Amino acid sequence: MRGVVLRLNRYSGVSVFLVAVLALAGMKLVYLQAFQAEALSDRAERQRATIIDIPARRGSILDRNGTELAFSVETRTLQVSLKAMRKTWDEFARKNPRSGQNFETRIQEISRFMAAKLPHLTTEEDLLARFRKPGPFTFLVDNVEPSAAAEIRQRFPEIAEETRAYREYPGGTLAANVVGFANWRMDDPDVSKHNLHGLIGLESSRDNDLAGRPGRRLVDTAEGDSVVIPGTERDLRPAVAGSDLELTIDSDLQYDLQERLSRYVQRTNAKGGTAVIMDAKTGEVYALANDRTFDPNNLKAASPADLNNRAVTSPYEPGSVNKLITAAGAIEHGITEPDASHRVPGTIRVADHTVRDAWPHGTLTMTTSGIFAKSSNVGTLMLARKLGEERFSELVDKFGLGRRTGIGLPGESRGVVPPREQWSGTTFGNLPIGQGLSMTVVQMAGMYQAIANQGVRVEPRIVRAKVKPDGSRIAEPPPRRIQVVKPETADTVLRMLRATTQRGEGQNSGTAPPAAVEGYQISGKTGTAQQVNPVTGGYSQSKYNITFAGILPADDPRFVVGIMLDAPDTTLPEGHSAAPLFHDIASYLAQRYQIPLSPKKAPVVPLVIG
Amino acid sequence: MTAPTRTRAQARRDPTQRASQRSAGPRQSRSRTANHPPIQHGSGPRASRQRGRGTAAQKAYARRAQRSETMRGGGHPVLPPGIATALRLRLPSSRAGFVLMLMGLLVVGVVLTLWLSTQAIADSYRLEKVRAETASLAERAERLQRDVTRQQTASALAERARALGMVPSGEPARILVKPNGKTKLFGEPTKARPQPMPAPARKPAGQEVERPPRTGGDRDTTRDAGNSPDRDTTSETRRQQVQAAGARHGGDEAAGGQ
């Protein structure tokens, strides 16, 4: 019988030893894997797994020709954890007293380097002050270019950076009232949601389209580094960029209008002014200007009045430009013809008060054209009486007064039109001549746009389309079209209002010969509305809204211009009518869009025939 | 190396064959420069055949088999002497050799893996560096593009034109060229005049002075009830928003912190 002989030599000794080691390793393995696996792998994960936020790029705002009015720029904000830095450097100084380096020398070195690198953003003194703050953390510089930030961080690793963006407005004040302003928002506790968001204007009202959605990727990185370990990217959610907005605004025209309006308002010592240029056929707003505006690149310098886009937020009593409604109604319902004559007295009694014409006169024989060309209140009220309150009220509604145009700008006002049920005796003595109701300059121009477009009023719009990040262009929903009057009526009124700009013999000049542009037929209407005197509560005898609405050219309408001046000095020649301003604007329009000259001169029609 | 082609049981039963193999082994290695183990092709079936014979006969057959293999070349490749010397191929002839060979392969494998992953990491670093370079160049390109855009805007161009001493052209006269070639002039060409710069500070509006109005409706001071112009209420909220934003915009220290 042979059994296993236990041999006590070195082979067996070594093998026993190895087996013992294996057993120990096995037990440790079991212990780690079974009991500590979760905790250890979590700790390891936290050490290396890094969430990298992919910021979303905000969409740009472009004008109708693709010129950029607003776009985003990626920047870095440099910051430092003072607590950690002080600790590290104090320790270093303690351990190496001979190196002569400590927290103080370090911050001086950093400040010097950074100030030299970013002279336009900060100074050495400012940085030193920030470093010496008692708190645990501080921001150092904002709006640093990414490459400069990378350089600084490479040299001084204790400085951390945060990715941000800021909005640049290359045109400055150009169309600032329309475009608005956006800034970096950090209120959200989720850091990945920090982004640019709008505050004013289209930046604010179309923020949902412009702001994208941030993405994120989860990667493993070497600790403390930004080098990604290859093959470890997971949970990739790509960022969705914002859409670009294409506006109907023409930059050059907008600039020109803003300049001209500002200068005119200054020259006439007016309190303010607004103006709009619209396409006669499509209602697209080519330019929208207030007399004062802000520079979005320097918002701190702006006053609240500058930020108010009065062109759509502030309605005013229009005055005689509102006589368009009576004219259109009278022609539409066959009450009169442009060349029909009327006996027009100098005053007329409405309910309990007397309405006079702007110029004192006895009873004159005027044509219908004359009533409107010379802006006779009495003649208008006579025609309005024949039109009747019902039909007049209907037309007021069809012309879009008292309701928002939906232009697409925030804060748009509806204007004020007294409801039909609340009309008193004097209401109908005021409304036809443009007092007792209010409208914005956009609504005012919209009325004339209807006349210029064969009676079809197209709601004005300022955003043409949005362009998604993948390049697809999504046009805005088309605006509403309302047939206000018959096409023949619109044409007739359009032709009739040419007389406003005519210069004739004796009393046969309209109220605005300066509005005429040589070579083109112009149709338009002046307006002078008394402002409300806040002290007395009645109408002022000295402060007026001076308005003008014009169509260029009258024989083939391309553009409609609306102007409102708030309380200009009416003793000045330019102060009592906005016609010279219209003239300049129309002349520039004709140049810029190379509008062909009108083949025929507008005929000079009789206005006052007796 | 080849495993023994006979089982232990067979080997124990033919101890003499094993002995003869052992003796044949060193002799073969001396006689041949290429040391291959004698491939016992036929030893399997031969062994079973040989089991039936006597021991002496077995030995004789075994020796014959060895010799014939030697003469034939044994079915295993024999390199010509020169190349063999140069290559110095030493395929292990024993178990220890086999183990060593495997360990060698393992080491090579490990070294290769290490080297590849090091390369991958090195590539990652290189990629990071190149990416940083590209980003910096792209940023520069963008910055230049922004400069161009900024200088292209109407306001910037107007400033530069003004700085050059140019003036806006004012109203042009227009020339109509008729189909018959004749021209007609509209308007009067005038020299462009420099416009006064708009004053930076706005002058206050004129005082409220009682003046008879030049134009406009003249009416009694009474007016309709309920038709006050719409005072916008949005400006107040907007002002508050802007002030809050201004505070946020300027001092972002409060938001940061650890």
Side-chain angles (χ1 to χ4, degrees), chain A residues 347-479:
Chain A
T347 65
I348 189 172
R349 192 126 183 98
V350 180
D352 56 340
H353 70 268
T354 310
V355 175
R356 291 186 178 76
D357 271 345
W359 77 108
H361 62 86
T363 308
L364 295 171
T365 310
M366 301 173 79
T367 58
T368 309
S369 306
I371 289 178
F372 294 108
K374 296 187 78 66
S375 202
S376 161
N377 296 330
V378 177
T380 308
L381 286 173
M382 280 165 56
L383 288 171
R385 221 179 250 163
K386 289 195 192 140
L387 182 62
E389 298 188 357
E390 277 307 316
R391 295 194 286 199
F392 182 83
S393 175
E394 224 176 83
L395 272 173
V396 166
D397 191 54
K398 278 209 191 134
F399 269 113
L401 302 180
R403 71 174 77 207
R404 291 199 181 89
T405 60
I407 187 175
L409 290 169
E412 193 193 357
S413 163
R414 266 201 255 124
V416 176
V417 174
R420 175 79 185 89
E421 315 79 65
Q422 292 176 17
W423 286 15
S424 70
T426 44
T427 312
F428 203 49
N430 277 334
L431 295 184
I433 53 177
Q435 304 265 187
L437 83 166
S438 68
M439 58 183 76
T440 62
V441 72
V442 176
Q443 285 172 315
M444 185 177 86
M447 289 201 297
Y448 283 78
Q449 182 269 320
I451 295 299
N453 190 27
Q454 310 224 295
V456 179
R457 182 171 67 85
V458 182
E459 285 178 334
R461 292 290 183 260
I462 205 155
V463 181
R464 196 157 62 166
K466 72 177 187 209
V467 183
K468 296 191 87 122
D470 58 7
S472 58
R473 193 165 170 277
I474 302 179
E476 292 283 293

Side-chain angles (χ1 to χ4, degrees), chain A residues 62-132:
Chain A
L62 313 159
D63 84 336
R64 68 183 299 118
N65 301 315
T67 313
E68 285 184 318
L69 296 170
F71 55 85
S72 304
V73 179
E74 197 179 303
T75 57
R76 304 275 184 265
T77 296
L78 295 176
Q79 58 206 43
V80 70
S81 162
L82 289 172
K83 189 163 99 178
M85 190 177 166
R86 267 193 224 113
K87 193 166 109 179
T88 321
W89 280 97
D90 288 342
E91 181 134 340
F92 180 83
R94 203 166 36 84
K95 287 202 185 131
N96 314 310
R98 260 178 295 161
S99 70
Q101 286 197 310
N102 60 3
F103 180 74
E104 188 60 32
T105 60
R106 182 72 169 172
I107 64 174
Q108 280 174 8
E109 197 188 331
I110 298 179
S111 304
R112 211 174 324 131
F113 183 78
M114 280 177 69
K117 206 113 208 58
L118 314 164
H120 51 291
L121 290 172
T122 185
T123 62
E124 201 175 329
E125 295 77 41
D126 180 60
L127 285 168
L128 281 171
R130 284 174 190 267
F131 273 116
R132 294 195 177 119

